[in-house]
Amino acid sequence: KGAAAVLRSAKNLRETRFSRVFISPDRTREERAERNGLVSQMKEKIRSQPQLYHYISNGQVCSREKVTTSPLNVSRLSQPQTTPRITASSTNIQITGRDPSHRTGLSGNPPPSPFPPF
């Protein structure tokens, strides 16, 4: 393939195991110098404003609020995990070995059973 064809098909990398690979054309000396200046500006902003997320877009250093995730429920992680045991008879299916509180979703209702009704 030619260079232009490789660059055109680079967007398809997202759907492969190379989803974190980015391909861009080579930069001229002027473009590299401009980019190095932008990177220096961004690093200075990172040092002066660590609470913000900084990035380069369209030849400018941009900033926005950092996205935070909710903390993990550490108390649940610290509990010993046991392997669930499933026992079945002709009229009853029983799962033992886990805390039943893991079965409720955000609504408080248990999720639907993966087993067909008898």
Side-chain angles (χ1 to χ4, degrees):
K1 287 183 174 180
V6 169
L7 289 174
R8 273 195 301 273
S9 63
K11 65 182 178 190
N12 298 329
L13 288 173
R14 284 186 219 143
E15 291 92 33
T16 67
R17 65 184 181 131
F18 300 107
S19 62
R20 299 189 127 197
V21 174
F22 299 94
I23 296 177
S24 64
D26 291 338
R27 294 188 174 108
T28 64
R29 286 186 182 184
E30 294 82 22
E31 289 171 331
R32 285 185 294 213
E34 182 182 334
R35 176 78 177 182
N36 286 341
L38 289 172
V39 170
S40 297
Q41 288 177 14
M42 185 176 70
K43 287 181 179 182
E44 182 57 39
K45 278 193 167 194
I46 290 171
R47 281 192 285 278
S48 66
Q49 300 172 339
Q51 74 278 10
L52 297 176
Y53 172 72
H54 306 284
Y55 58 98
I56 297 173
S57 177
N58 295 324
Q60 297 180 13
V61 178
C62 304
S63 303
R64 64 172 172 82
E65 294 291 322
K66 286 186 177 179
V67 176
T68 58
T69 57
S70 60
L72 293 174
N73 185 352
V74 178
S75 63
R76 185 147 183 241
L77 294 175
S78 62
Q79 294 175 355
Q81 297 292 319
T82 59
T83 305
R85 194 171 336 129
I86 300 174
T87 54
S89 65
S90 60
T91 58
N92 191 13
I93 297 175
Q94 185 175 20
I95 301 174
T96 58
R98 287 191 74 180
D99 178 20
S101 66
H102 78 280
R103 301 177 85 189
T104 58
L106 295 175
S107 65
N109 298 325
S113 172
F115 303 107
F118 290 99

